[in-house]
Amino acid sequence: MRTKKVKAAGRFGARYGTRVRKKIAQVESTQRTKQECSFCKGTAKRIAAGIWQCKKCDKKFTGHAYYLKKEE
Ligand SMILES: [Zn+2]
C-alpha cells in the first residue's frame, strides 16, 4: 500500500521504522526513472548493484548501485 509519508514503502506497514522506509522509497523512485546509457543515450537496465546493461547498444558497464545519473 502507498502512503503519503513513505510512498511505495508503505507496503511494509509499520515495520522497520520510518527512516529506512523513507530511504527505500527514495531509492525506489530513482530506480524507476529512466536510466540513460552514457555511450548511446539509450535506456540502461540494472542487472545487479552497480552493473548496468544498455538495451540499445548492449554494452555492459558499471555505475552507481541504484541509479546512473543523480538528478539534483
Ligand atoms: Zn547504449
Side-chain angles (χ1 to χ4, degrees), residues 28-63:
E28 283 179 349
S29 64
T30 346
Q31 266 182 320
R32 273 180 214 117
T33 59
K34 199 187 154 208
Q35 305 300 327
E36 196 178 69
C37 168
S38 46
F39 301 99
C40 70
K41 308 280 177 214
T43 314
K45 195 178 180 285
R46 179 179 176 267
I47 300 169
I51 304 166
W52 298 81
Q53 186 162 34
C54 178
K55 276 187 197 165
K56 210 173 153 195
C57 65
D58 225 41
K59 275 195 177 100
K60 222 182 243 181
F61 50 94
T62 55

